[in-house]
Amino acid sequence: QEAVDTIGGPVMVVAGPGTGKTTLLTLRIANILRKTDAGASSILALTFTESGVKSMREKLRKIIGEAAFDVQIHTFHGFAASIISEFPEHFTELKGAEQITDIESESYIREILTNNKYSLLRPAGDSDFYVGKILGAISDSKKEAWEPSMIRDFAESEIERIKNSEDSISSRGKTKGMLKGEALKRIERCEKTILFSEVYAEYENLKKERGKIDFDDLIFSLLLKLREDELLLQILQ
């Protein structure tokens, strides 16, 4: 009730599955429309699944009628796709691009990993060990709008931090004055992260050269555009 009645400012509700979160959101939208002069088209609701979109739309229709179809209810990817479709002149870099398939994504990564500088990411006995992990990490990076250069810069600064931290230096025994084993392991992980950032950059270049986009490019492109395209940001606001 408190969440539904709070029509201004942020509200966070923590609740498990099947506890009525969709119903709560729907009632809050209806309450905002009932108590304020906000138009239905100025409401944006984002959810994770198409079934969630359908459920929220149907519940809202039963409460406010046909105006429910004016409320912007999308999945995160669906919202990004709708903005890109509505304002194509702001996304000219995506013009004519085709959706990449999972098989193509994996083949691109395998192609990149044939370069000897990525030998650490192509272990003997299982050269495909990191392919799925790399694609998963690229997907996670795009959801956070992390570009390859940002990941590389972070990893490099982390290596310097570890090397210069007093906690990383052994203070006794034969290794006194040297980096501890745990510090060396963290540095190795950072070095692999730097390699990942280079694979990520090459993957993006390959996709661009071959006119491909992946599913997460929708969100990534929109996030980056909203950082640099003030006009589009103002229009959406």
Side-chain angles (χ1 to χ4, degrees):
Q1 185 68 54
E2 182 183 354
V4 171
D5 286 340
T6 306
I7 58 175
V11 174
M12 179 171 72
V13 177
V14 182
T19 52
K21 296 186 295 297
T22 301
T23 299
L24 187 154
L25 285 171
T26 305
L27 291 172
R28 188 167 192 245
I29 290 170
N31 205 28
I32 290 171
L33 294 175
R34 185 171 67 90
K35 291 184 177 179
T36 74
D37 60 358
S41 62
S42 67
I43 301 287
L44 172 64
L46 297 176
T47 184
F48 288 99
T49 65
E50 289 295 345
S51 60
V53 170
K54 186 176 180 181
S55 173
M56 196 181 299
R57 179 89 63 197
E58 184 57 28
K59 287 180 179 181
L60 194 58
R61 188 187 65 79
K62 290 178 180 178
I63 299 171
I64 67 173
E66 296 305 303
F69 293 101
D70 293 329
V71 176
Q72 300 292 308
I73 305 176
H74 299 280
T75 62
F76 288 90
H77 288 93
F79 173 65
S82 72
I83 297 302
I84 292 168
S85 175
E86 186 176 354
F87 302 98
E89 67 278 11
H90 291 266
F91 299 90
T92 53
E93 70 279 6
L94 300 180
K95 185 178 179 182
E98 295 179 348
Q99 182 80 36
I100 195 171
T101 66
D102 291 342
I103 293 174
E104 286 173 322
S105 293
E106 291 179 6
S107 71
Y108 285 14
I109 297 298
R110 288 192 187 96
E111 182 180 336
I112 292 165
L113 293 183
T114 57
N115 190 316
N116 284 333
K117 73 176 180 177
Y118 300 127
S119 57
L120 272 176
L121 303 179
R122 202 175 61 251
D126 188 0
S127 59
D128 283 350
F129 181 78
Y130 283 105
V131 171
K133 297 176 186 293
I134 288 170
L135 286 170
I138 289 174
S139 177
D140 291 341
S141 298
K142 288 183 178 180
K143 287 168 185 170
E144 298 293 342
W146 292 339
E147 298 177 83
S149 59
M150 295 165 64
I151 295 171
R152 183 186 183 92
D153 289 347
F154 174 78
E156 288 178 342
S157 65
E158 187 66 5
I159 288 174
E160 288 305 308
R161 187 193 67 77
I162 294 168
K163 286 180 176 179
N164 295 313
S165 170
E166 290 184 6
D167 293 337
S168 300
I169 308 298
S170 177
S171 59
R172 58 178 182 236
K174 292 181 180 179
T175 60
K176 185 177 180 179
M178 299 168 64
L179 286 170
K180 295 177 181 177
E182 181 56 37
L184 292 172
K185 284 182 182 178
R186 295 206 306 272
I187 288 173
E188 184 182 13
R189 286 198 292 268
C190 288
E191 288 171 344
K192 280 187 176 179
T193 299
I194 291 171
L195 284 178
F196 161 71
S197 72
E198 293 174 3
V199 172
Y200 178 11
E202 287 196 39
Y203 175 73
E204 292 304 303
N205 288 334
L206 264 185
K207 291 202 344 270
K208 189 173 182 180
E209 287 171 11
R210 298 173 187 181
K212 299 287 185 178
I213 60 170
D214 61 35
F215 198 49
D216 292 308
D217 282 330
L218 299 173
I219 291 178
F220 188 58
S221 296
L222 179 58
L223 286 172
L224 291 182
K225 194 63 67 173
L226 292 178
R227 286 178 178 173
E228 61 190 37
D229 191 330
E230 199 170 314
L231 176 59
L232 180 63
L233 178 62
Q234 288 178 356
I235 291 170
L236 295 181
Q237 288 173 332

